[in-house]
């Protein structure tokens, strides 16, 4: 068993939605295929993975640095101890050879795209869903139980587009969702509060509504929003300021009192350690949104969970950013708190396949081997292009 070729394709995101900071119409995602000489059903077994939604493809890093390192390694150095698959930790160490500590950023997402493809490959070799492979690798029972799911969304719509925040959330409710996240910070405070009140009417109360500032606010603005939001008892207040401004995060937590969520822009275990040391995050209260697709993959993500648990946090406080099939398997496999979904946006990656039925605000992976990316209708043409 050996890896014969690794391919990468930069896939553009579809749609022109925006939050308080960026417009996603120019964003791309790195889709990776790891080809092997193992043949099943007359075809080589291929591992598929991608980095994450809402950033950019890392084609140069993947093609120029990481793929040559992996293809240059001997197969024996990459195999798991039982020889039945590839060891994701060994693969990660190989593709990061000669990389200095720190400087995470795009390098972390590039590594994650390859590392995710290895998990998909291993699950296909074992003929099981990736959540089972992930669970077993970290000493957990591989049971694909349904998990809570909420929608990411609540974007800004220009006047005259014929679409409103209320329309968006009502459509999500028809799909089976009960909790909703919306964007703030892209309009003045008074206008944003009107949007929040509009969303609350659909959500049915603060327990089913989250607001996301996408790291937009300085401390005075964050405190002004916190003062207005505090009486609403929202489920959480997300990405309040710069993700590395731990002091701002702590000060807003102290003033706000309600639950906050952060972490999607932290790309390493040491970043997570600094957040729990200095960011004011509270056990049984706040939410950690680190995303394996932005942080070197599932191997590093599991190390982040170890940091949380070593500091008194419950892994169910981990709710990964992302809203796609890979993170659904991560949540189920590692026993995390909930998962995000992006129905109808961030295609072809956002949301799940039709085989992952959403019912009573819960979802479970399909029985397809791997992450089931081949069942994602919108993604199929790009998979064919990459693997042809």
């Amino acid at each position: 068993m050996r890896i014969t070729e690794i391919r990468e394709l930069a896939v553009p995101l579809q749609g022109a939605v925006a939050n308080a900071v960026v417009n996603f119409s120019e964003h791309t995602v790195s889709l990776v295929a790891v080809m092997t000489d193992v043949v099943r059903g007359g075809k080589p077994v291929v591992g598929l993975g991608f980095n994450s939604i809402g950033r950019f493809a890392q084609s140069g890093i993947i093609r120029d640095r990481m793929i040559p390192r992996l293809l240059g390694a001997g197969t024996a150095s990459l195999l798991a101890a039982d020889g039945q698959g590839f060891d994701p930790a060994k693969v990660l160490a190989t593709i990061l050879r000669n990389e200095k500590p720190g400087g995470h950023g795009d390098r972390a997402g590039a590594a994650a795209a390859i590392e995710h493809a290895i998990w998909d490959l291993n699950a296909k070799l074992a003929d099981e869903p990736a959540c089972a492979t992930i669970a077993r690798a970290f000493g957990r029972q591989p049971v694909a139980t349904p998990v809570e799911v909420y929608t990411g969304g609540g974007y800004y719509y220009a006047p005259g587009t014929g679409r409103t925040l209320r329309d968006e959330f009502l459509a999500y409710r028809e799909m089976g969702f009960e909790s909703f996240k919306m964007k703030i910070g892209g309009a003045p405070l008074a206008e944003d509060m009107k949007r929040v009140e509009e969303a609350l009417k659909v959500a049915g109360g603060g327990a089913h509504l989250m607001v996301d500032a996408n790291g937009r606010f300085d401390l005075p603005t964050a405190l002004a929003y916190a003062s207005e939001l505090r009486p609403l008892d929202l489920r959480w207040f997300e990405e309040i300021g710069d993700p590395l401004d731990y002091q701002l995060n702590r000060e807003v937590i102290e003033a706000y009192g309600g639950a906050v969520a952060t972490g999607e822009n932290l790309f390493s275990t040491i970043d997570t350690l600094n957040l729990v040391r200095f960011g004011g995050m509270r056990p049984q209260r706040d939410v950690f949104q680190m995303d394996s697709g932005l942080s070197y993959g599932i191997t590093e993500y599991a190390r982040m969970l170890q940091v949380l648990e070593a500091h008194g946090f419950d892994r169910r406080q981990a709710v990964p950013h992302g809203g796609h099939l890979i993170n659904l398997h991560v949540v189920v496999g590692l026993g995390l708190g909930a998962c995000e979904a992006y129905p109808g946006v961030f295609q072809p990656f956002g949301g799940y396949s039709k085989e992952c039925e959403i019912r009573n605000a819960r979802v479970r992976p399909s029985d397809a081997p791997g992450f089931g990316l081949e069942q994602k209708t919108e993604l199929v043409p790009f998979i064919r292009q990459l693997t042809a």
Side-chain angles (χ1 to χ4, degrees), residues 356-376:
C356 303
E357 183 180 6
I358 295 169
R359 182 178 299 176
N360 299 322
R362 300 183 74 82
V363 66
R364 63 181 296 170
S366 76
D367 294 329
F371 292 121
L373 299 182
E374 294 89 345
Q375 292 180 333
K376 186 75 165 60

Side-chain angles (χ1 to χ4, degrees), residues 4 20 117 132 173 287 329 374:
T4 59
R173 184 173 288 286
V287 176
H329 282 267
E374 294 89 345

Side-chain angles (χ1 to χ4, degrees), residues 275-313:
L275 175 61
V276 300
R277 281 173 170 169
F278 307 118
M281 303 291 278
R282 299 157 295 182
Q284 310 303 324
R285 183 69 166 165
D286 298 312
V287 176
F288 294 88
Q289 298 177 303
M290 290 80 73
D291 175 357
S292 66
L294 298 173
S295 52
Y296 297 99
I298 296 167
T299 302
E300 182 79 356
Y301 185 80
R303 295 167 184 159
M304 294 176 171
L305 293 179
Q306 290 177 340
V307 167
L308 296 185
E309 292 180 324
H311 287 78
F313 295 93

Side-chain angles (χ1 to χ4, degrees), residues 184 189-190 192-193 196-197 211 217-234 237 240 251-260:
I184 60 172
L189 174 56
D192 265 344
M193 290 309 299
V196 171
E197 293 294 341
V211 295
F217 298 148
D218 58 17
L219 183 58
T221 307
L223 292 174
Y225 270 81
S227 178
E228 294 293 320
L229 294 170
R230 186 186 307 115
L232 303 180
D233 197 22
L234 301 179
F237 183 4
I240 301 165
E251 290 188 29
V252 175
I253 283 176
E254 292 170 354
Y256 177 54
V260 305

Side-chain angles (χ1 to χ4, degrees), residues 23-36:
N23 184 302
F24 294 100
S25 61
E26 298 179 357
H27 284 212
T28 52
V29 176
S30 281
L31 179 65
V32 168
V34 176
M35 326 287 285
T36 73

